[in-house]
Amino acid sequence: MEVMKRKMCATYDMGKVVTQITPEDDFNVPDVKPDIAKILKSTGEVQLDSQQTMDGKLLFSGKLLFKVLYVTGQKENSLACMKGEIPFSESLFLPEGVGADAEIHIDTQIEDLSVGMINSRKLSVNSIITVIANILSSNGEEAVVGIAFDNDVQYMTRQTSFVTLADTHKDIFRIKDEIVLPSNKPNIAELLWSEWQPGTVDCRPMEGRLGIRGELKLFIIYIAGDESGSLQWSEHMMPFAGEIPISECNEALYPYVRCRPVHREIEVKADDDGEQRIMVIDEAVELDIILYEENERELVSDVYSSMVDMEPEQRDVKCLELLGKNSSRCRVSEKVHINDANPQILQICSSNSNVKIDSTAIVEDGILVEGVVEATMLYIALDDKQPFYETIGVIPFSHKIEVPGIDDTCVYNVLGSTEQLSVIMLSSEDVECKISIVLEAIVFRTKNENIIVDIREKPYDTEKIAAMPGIVGYVVQPGDTLWKIAKKFYTTVESIKEINGLTDDMLKVGDKLVIMKKVAGKDVI
């Protein structure tokens, strides 16, 4: 008897580990920068540098990058920008059984970034960052898929499906472009502030490569090259597209991609007329790519022989079955009233949004996602001394992602992003925010697959077999199948069908069968 085996390599989910870290520090204003009179706005992003598993813990390090736009005390309408970073090195405990070969993918979300003035030359930066470690593992069990060269061995097979990690891949995707200022804007003398807002990124698997497509919004504030050195702003949309070469990629795979910016740079250069009107954009985005593959496999589920006793060695294997991948859109609209302490609105310059998912829960045929969208608006104020102000609206949302068949045995990941943001000025104190949110979910059903990993042969209990009658009249019982009956009486399905004139495998409770025992492959009467 030759047992044929094939490695499963089934992927299974080991859960998520969530923690919060609080990077904070004080920063002195560089000597080349003017004093701070008032903080106008601040932005931040998390950059991860390294991660490793050691002694049941995940060690990770990175930095919080922040920028602060502030009003100086030098003259009216004077702004300046200050940048900094807060390094961090943290650890979190992993669930028992997570080995060094586990795939761990980290998500981060800035829950709060607070920048305050200690004095005109010193800032205090405090933050709260949620860190989510998503843990995947794969088993290397070999399952019996067939038995060759032995006519006396009877075996039954079944079809099963499971997910494997076709590839995990980290790469840098660069977005490079040149943007020309609109003709109604004056030249750039000095770039004061830039703010980047990525939109929804679409990833499409192709043969040997992953297609990337999306849109990037850029907002700048600059000192103009006119006689008065006026403050100006400009907003631009940049579509981008490209490909990442991945040898294992093909159209049948299911990608799940996390995007994290690692480098952003703007260089101002002269156009053909020698005027500073061209901005050279260079952004590097780290892509954390997981490629899932659906597998169909035929496995041996039971075995016996009329020659020897067959003992299958069975084992439960954890695995995932792909239930679905869904991209769902949610639209929210709300009126936002500016802070009473802020001056009234003359004109809205720019608006950005950030989706924060607070909770997810499995409901009937779907995933209920609840969270907020932080809509940040920079506007020109009715205030000659300080024209720019910022107001923030926090807009709650609740949306169900349709996933037919989902239940409590399922695991999933959900990513949220803003597809479109529209801010309409209703009055000098109120604006209306209309936001289109994209929620992307990939859902798996967890299961324990019972597989046969080996088959041992040993001699039959001859006394037991000799004591059994050679021919038996049998009445079909509830739950009986031809396979079970044949195995019980040391015969074959074909023999039972031939003796009883059956043309198919269908049985009814109460059917009467004549069964002839086989020993050493021969009928025994």
Side-chain angles (χ1 to χ4, degrees):
M1 180 182 71
E2 181 182 348
V3 177
M4 296 179 289
K5 299 181 181 181
R6 190 174 173 186
K7 188 171 284 190
M8 291 273 288
C9 296
T11 298
Y12 61 95
D13 185 86
M14 299 191 72
K16 295 178 172 65
V17 181
V18 182
T19 189
Q20 284 192 330
I21 60 175
T22 56
E24 57 184 22
D25 206 347
D26 295 340
F27 291 85
N28 292 318
V29 177
D31 293 340
V32 295
K33 294 287 186 180
D35 289 355
I36 301 172
K38 180 181 175 64
I39 295 172
L40 183 56
K41 70 175 301 175
S42 59
T43 62
E45 59 190 39
V46 178
Q47 182 175 308
L48 292 175
D49 297 329
S50 68
Q51 68 178 72
Q52 63 174 322
T53 304
M54 183 182 295
D55 299 329
K57 293 190 291 186
L58 175 65
L59 311 178
F60 60 96
S61 63
K63 54 182 75 79
L64 170 68
L65 307 176
F66 68 89
K67 291 198 306 182
V68 181
L69 181 66
Y70 65 90
V71 180
T72 74
Q74 292 181 334
K75 60 178 182 177
E76 281 190 7
N77 305 339
S78 178
L79 301 179
C81 173
M82 176 178 163
K83 302 178 183 179
E85 61 183 51
I86 306 176
F88 59 80
S89 182
E90 301 283 346
S91 66
L92 55 82
F93 286 96
L94 297 171
E96 188 175 347
V98 176
D101 58 343
E103 289 281 346
I104 302 179
H105 300 264
I106 296 178
D107 292 325
T108 60
Q109 180 171 285
I110 299 176
E111 304 293 348
D112 182 64
L113 176 63
S114 176
V115 180
M117 280 180 58
I118 297 174
N119 55 52
S120 62
R121 301 297 300 173
K122 196 169 188 178
L123 292 175
S124 172
V125 180
N126 298 273
S127 66
I128 301 174
I129 301 171
T130 296
V131 179
I132 305 170
N134 305 275
I135 309 168
L136 295 172
S137 191
S138 297
N139 64 68
E141 294 287 357
E142 288 190 329
V144 176
V145 296
I147 299 170
F149 309 121
D150 197 329
N151 294 328
D152 293 307
V153 175
Q154 306 294 314
Y155 67 90
M156 182 168 60
T157 62
R158 60 181 171 82
Q159 200 77 12
T160 187
S161 62
F162 57 91
V163 168
T164 60
L165 286 179
D167 195 14
T168 57
H169 189 86
K170 285 190 177 180
D171 212 324
I172 299 296
F173 181 77
R174 303 198 78 93
I175 302 170
K176 291 189 175 184
D177 203 354
E178 288 191 357
I179 298 174
V180 180
L181 279 177
S183 57
N184 62 340
K185 292 289 184 180
N187 298 343
I188 300 173
E190 180 185 353
L191 193 63
L192 294 176
W193 177 262
S194 62
E195 195 165 349
W196 312 62
Q197 173 76 43
T200 302
V201 178
D202 178 49
C203 300
R204 186 164 62 93
M206 298 177 284
E207 196 65 38
R209 62 199 192 278
L210 184 70
I212 308 291
R213 185 177 59 190
E215 198 171 47
L216 183 68
K217 183 168 75 171
L218 174 65
F219 171 74
I220 62 167
I221 299 176
Y222 65 96
I223 297 175
D226 52 19
E227 293 180 0
S228 60
S230 62
L231 281 177
Q232 297 287 331
W233 71 92
S234 186
E235 192 170 72
H236 307 268
M237 300 299 296
M238 296 188 304
F240 61 84
E243 296 175 352
I244 298 291
I246 304 175
S247 59
E248 301 295 328
C249 194
N250 62 69
E251 294 179 359
L253 302 184
Y254 294 86
Y256 187 80
V257 182
R258 298 170 173 88
C259 302
R260 186 178 293 117
V262 292
H263 173 77
R264 286 169 171 168
E265 184 178 346
I266 302 178
E267 178 189 352
V268 180
K269 72 174 188 178
D271 60 13
D272 294 338
D273 296 326
E275 298 180 330
Q276 299 290 102
R277 302 189 61 79
I278 298 176
M279 290 174 287
V280 182
I281 308 301
D282 183 6
E283 178 175 40
V285 180
E286 182 186 70
L287 303 179
D288 185 358
I289 303 165
I290 304 176
L291 296 174
Y292 293 102
E293 182 177 18
E294 279 190 291
N295 287 266
E296 295 285 338
R297 190 75 51 84
E298 191 172 40
L299 305 177
V300 171
S301 58
D302 200 6
V303 62
Y304 71 92
S305 171
S306 60
M307 299 285 292
V308 293
D309 196 6
M310 313 287 285
E311 280 192 358
E313 181 184 343
Q314 296 178 312
R315 198 165 295 165
D316 282 338
V317 173
K318 295 179 181 178
C319 57
L320 299 175
E321 185 178 28
L322 182 65
L323 185 61
K325 190 171 187 283
N326 191 7
S327 180
S328 184
R329 281 161 175 77
C330 165
R331 289 177 173 81
V332 293
S333 177
E334 188 162 309
K335 186 171 77 170
V336 176
H337 183 77
I338 66 168
N339 191 321
D340 291 336
N342 285 3
Q344 294 180 329
I345 302 171
L346 176 62
Q347 181 183 352
I348 296 171
C349 300
S350 174
S351 56
N352 281 332
S353 59
N354 182 32
V355 177
K356 292 185 176 181
I357 296 174
D358 294 330
S359 66
T360 60
I362 293 175
V363 295
E364 185 177 0
D365 286 336
I367 302 170
L368 181 64
V369 183
E370 295 184 331
V372 298
V373 180
E374 287 187 351
T376 305
M377 292 153 281
L378 191 70
Y379 66 92
I380 299 292
L382 294 170
D383 184 341
D384 294 335
K385 294 182 179 179
Q386 184 186 329
F388 286 100
Y389 269 85
E390 182 185 60
T391 188
I392 299 175
V394 179
I395 303 165
F397 71 87
S398 178
H399 182 71
K400 177 183 173 182
I401 304 173
E402 297 290 338
V403 186
I406 192 171
D407 57 33
D408 290 337
T409 66
C410 294
V411 294
Y412 55 87
N413 281 313
V414 177
L415 292 177
S417 61
T418 302
E419 183 179 50
Q420 188 175 15
L421 170 63
S422 171
V423 178
I424 302 169
M425 185 174 164
L426 300 177
S427 69
S428 60
E429 297 178 343
D430 297 291
V431 297
E432 183 182 33
C433 296
K434 295 182 178 180
I435 305 170
S436 176
I437 304 166
V438 177
L439 298 171
E440 296 181 272
I442 186 165
V443 185
F444 304 95
R445 176 169 280 114
T446 62
K447 61 180 182 177
N448 281 327
E449 195 73 55
N450 184 264
I451 65 171
I452 296 176
V453 297
D454 204 1
I455 299 172
R456 291 189 293 268
E457 300 177 84
K458 67 177 185 179
Y460 271 133
D461 183 344
T462 55
E463 292 183 3
K464 174 184 175 183
I465 295 198
M468 294 177 63
I471 189 167
V472 177
Y474 183 77
V475 179
V476 176
Q477 303 297 311
D480 275 347
T481 63
L482 282 177
W483 175 269
K484 290 181 180 179
I485 296 170
K487 183 178 179 180
K488 179 179 180 180
F489 290 100
Y490 298 90
T491 185
T492 66
V493 171
E494 290 74 15
S495 176
I496 296 175
K497 290 172 71 174
E498 182 181 352
I499 293 171
N500 293 275
L502 302 177
T503 58
D504 56 39
D505 293 348
M506 298 299 294
L507 294 176
K508 297 192 299 291
V509 174
D511 283 351
K512 296 177 181 179
L513 302 174
V514 175
I515 300 170
M516 190 174 294
K517 178 177 66 175
K518 280 180 177 283
V519 176
K522 298 179 180 180
D523 292 334
V524 176
I525 300 178

